[in-house]
mmCIF file of all heavy atoms in Angstrom:
data_model
loop_
_atom_site.group_PDB
_atom_site.id
_atom_site.type_symbol
_atom_site.label_atom_id
_atom_site.label_comp_id
_atom_site.label_asym_id
_atom_site.label_seq_id
_atom_site.Cartn_x
_atom_site.Cartn_y
_atom_site.Cartn_z
ATOM 1 N N HIS A 14 -157.818 -2.570 178.626
ATOM 2 C CA HIS A 14 -157.917 -3.809 177.862
ATOM 3 C C HIS A 14 -159.288 -4.475 177.937
ATOM 4 O O HIS A 14 -159.708 -5.114 176.992
ATOM 5 C CB HIS A 14 -156.836 -4.797 178.316
ATOM 6 C CG HIS A 14 -155.461 -4.313 178.013
ATOM 7 N ND1 HIS A 14 -154.946 -4.306 176.741
ATOM 8 C CD2 HIS A 14 -154.502 -3.786 178.811
ATOM 9 C CE1 HIS A 14 -153.724 -3.822 176.768
ATOM 10 N NE2 HIS A 14 -153.425 -3.477 178.015
ATOM 11 N N GLY A 15 -160.006 -4.356 179.024
ATOM 12 C CA GLY A 15 -161.303 -5.000 179.138
ATOM 13 C C GLY A 15 -162.319 -4.466 178.150
ATOM 14 O O GLY A 15 -163.207 -5.180 177.693
ATOM 15 N N LYS A 16 -162.204 -3.214 177.811
ATOM 16 C CA LYS A 16 -163.156 -2.593 176.902
ATOM 17 C C LYS A 16 -162.846 -2.899 175.434
ATOM 18 O O LYS A 16 -163.727 -2.849 174.598
ATOM 19 C CB LYS A 16 -163.165 -1.076 177.103
ATOM 20 C CG LYS A 16 -163.724 -0.638 178.433
ATOM 21 C CD LYS A 16 -163.740 0.864 178.508
ATOM 22 C CE LYS A 16 -164.367 1.346 179.797
ATOM 23 N NZ LYS A 16 -164.437 2.814 179.834
ATOM 24 N N ILE A 17 -161.605 -3.191 175.118
ATOM 25 C CA ILE A 17 -161.213 -3.417 173.727
ATOM 26 C C ILE A 17 -161.980 -4.582 173.124
ATOM 27 O O ILE A 17 -162.522 -4.485 172.025
ATOM 28 C CB ILE A 17 -159.693 -3.651 173.606
ATOM 29 C CG1 ILE A 17 -158.947 -2.383 173.970
ATOM 30 C CG2 ILE A 17 -159.317 -4.087 172.191
ATOM 31 C CD1 ILE A 17 -157.453 -2.566 174.060
ATOM 32 N N ALA A 18 -162.041 -5.676 173.837
ATOM 33 C CA ALA A 18 -162.743 -6.862 173.325
ATOM 34 C C ALA A 18 -164.221 -6.553 173.096
ATOM 35 O O ALA A 18 -164.799 -6.965 172.086
ATOM 36 C CB ALA A 18 -162.585 -8.021 174.299
ATOM 37 N N PHE A 19 -164.826 -5.802 174.024
ATOM 38 C CA PHE A 19 -166.237 -5.453 173.892
ATOM 39 C C PHE A 19 -166.483 -4.608 172.647
ATOM 40 O O PHE A 19 -167.351 -4.926 171.825
ATOM 41 C CB PHE A 19 -166.713 -4.704 175.142
ATOM 42 C CG PHE A 19 -168.076 -4.115 174.992
ATOM 43 C CD1 PHE A 19 -169.204 -4.912 175.010
ATOM 44 C CD2 PHE A 19 -168.239 -2.745 174.803
ATOM 45 C CE1 PHE A 19 -170.464 -4.369 174.852
ATOM 46 C CE2 PHE A 19 -169.488 -2.187 174.645
ATOM 47 C CZ PHE A 19 -170.611 -3.006 174.672
ATOM 48 N N TYR A 20 -165.728 -3.525 172.484
ATOM 49 C CA TYR A 20 -165.932 -2.635 171.343
ATOM 50 C C TYR A 20 -165.613 -3.332 170.021
ATOM 51 O O TYR A 20 -166.303 -3.118 169.028
ATOM 52 C CB TYR A 20 -165.100 -1.360 171.485
ATOM 53 C CG TYR A 20 -165.658 -0.401 172.506
ATOM 54 C CD1 TYR A 20 -164.912 -0.020 173.607
ATOM 55 C CD2 TYR A 20 -166.940 0.123 172.372
ATOM 56 C CE1 TYR A 20 -165.425 0.860 174.546
ATOM 57 C CE2 TYR A 20 -167.455 0.992 173.303
ATOM 58 C CZ TYR A 20 -166.696 1.367 174.386
ATOM 59 O OH TYR A 20 -167.210 2.225 175.313
ATOM 60 N N CYS A 21 -164.599 -4.156 169.998
ATOM 61 C CA CYS A 21 -164.268 -4.879 168.770
ATOM 62 C C CYS A 21 -165.385 -5.839 168.382
ATOM 63 O O CYS A 21 -165.729 -5.961 167.208
ATOM 64 C CB CYS A 21 -162.946 -5.630 168.930
ATOM 65 S SG CYS A 21 -161.501 -4.567 168.920
ATOM 66 N N ARG A 22 -165.954 -6.498 169.370
ATOM 67 C CA ARG A 22 -167.038 -7.432 169.087
ATOM 68 C C ARG A 22 -168.273 -6.685 168.588
ATOM 69 O O ARG A 22 -168.904 -7.082 167.615
ATOM 70 C CB ARG A 22 -167.377 -8.230 170.349
ATOM 71 C CG ARG A 22 -168.373 -9.338 170.123
ATOM 72 C CD ARG A 22 -168.574 -10.242 171.337
ATOM 73 N NE ARG A 22 -168.846 -9.511 172.569
ATOM 74 C CZ ARG A 22 -167.986 -9.402 173.601
ATOM 75 N NH1 ARG A 22 -166.808 -9.988 173.540
ATOM 76 N NH2 ARG A 22 -168.301 -8.731 174.684
ATOM 77 N N VAL A 23 -168.621 -5.570 169.232
ATOM 78 C CA VAL A 23 -169.811 -4.808 168.841
ATOM 79 C C VAL A 23 -169.643 -4.214 167.441
ATOM 80 O O VAL A 23 -170.573 -4.234 166.633
ATOM 81 C CB VAL A 23 -170.097 -3.692 169.873
ATOM 82 C CG1 VAL A 23 -171.145 -2.731 169.374
ATOM 83 C CG2 VAL A 23 -170.528 -4.311 171.196
ATOM 84 N N LEU A 24 -168.460 -3.703 167.133
ATOM 85 C CA LEU A 24 -168.217 -3.061 165.838
ATOM 86 C C LEU A 24 -167.742 -4.030 164.764
ATOM 87 O O LEU A 24 -167.444 -3.622 163.651
ATOM 88 C CB LEU A 24 -167.202 -1.925 166.006
ATOM 89 C CG LEU A 24 -167.671 -0.790 166.907
ATOM 90 C CD1 LEU A 24 -166.545 0.200 167.140
ATOM 91 C CD2 LEU A 24 -168.877 -0.096 166.309
ATOM 92 N N GLU A 25 -167.673 -5.308 165.131
ATOM 93 C CA GLU A 25 -167.255 -6.376 164.212
ATOM 94 C C GLU A 25 -165.889 -6.087 163.600
ATOM 95 O O GLU A 25 -165.696 -6.118 162.383
ATOM 96 C CB GLU A 25 -168.311 -6.602 163.135
ATOM 97 C CG GLU A 25 -169.636 -7.072 163.705
ATOM 98 C CD GLU A 25 -170.699 -7.277 162.653
ATOM 99 O OE1 GLU A 25 -170.466 -6.978 161.475
ATOM 100 O OE2 GLU A 25 -171.789 -7.729 163.032
ATOM 101 N N VAL A 26 -164.928 -5.786 164.465
ATOM 102 C CA VAL A 26 -163.545 -5.519 164.088
ATOM 103 C C VAL A 26 -162.678 -6.500 164.860
ATOM 104 O O VAL A 26 -162.939 -6.785 166.027
ATOM 105 C CB VAL A 26 -163.156 -4.072 164.466
ATOM 106 C CG1 VAL A 26 -161.706 -3.797 164.185
ATOM 107 C CG2 VAL A 26 -164.041 -3.083 163.752
ATOM 108 N N THR A 27 -161.643 -7.021 164.223
ATOM 109 C CA THR A 27 -160.757 -7.922 164.958
ATOM 110 C C THR A 27 -159.850 -7.113 165.877
ATOM 111 O O THR A 27 -159.533 -5.956 165.601
ATOM 112 C CB THR A 27 -159.871 -8.739 163.993
ATOM 113 O OG1 THR A 27 -159.016 -7.861 163.276
ATOM 114 C CG2 THR A 27 -160.721 -9.559 163.029
ATOM 115 N N ARG A 28 -159.454 -7.735 166.968
ATOM 116 C CA ARG A 28 -158.540 -7.047 167.884
ATOM 117 C C ARG A 28 -157.198 -6.815 167.217
ATOM 118 O O ARG A 28 -156.565 -5.780 167.420
ATOM 119 C CB ARG A 28 -158.374 -7.847 169.176
ATOM 120 C CG ARG A 28 -159.600 -7.736 170.036
ATOM 121 C CD ARG A 28 -159.545 -8.455 171.338
ATOM 122 N NE ARG A 28 -158.231 -8.794 171.823
ATOM 123 C CZ ARG A 28 -158.014 -9.470 172.931
ATOM 124 N NH1 ARG A 28 -159.026 -9.880 173.642
ATOM 125 N NH2 ARG A 28 -156.801 -9.748 173.315
#
Side-chain angles (χ1 to χ4, degrees):
H14 295 286
K16 292 182 177 183
I17 293 172
F19 170 74
Y20 286 120
C21 287
R22 187 173 51 251
V23 169
L24 297 173
E25 297 179 355
V26 176
T27 64
R28 286 181 20 183

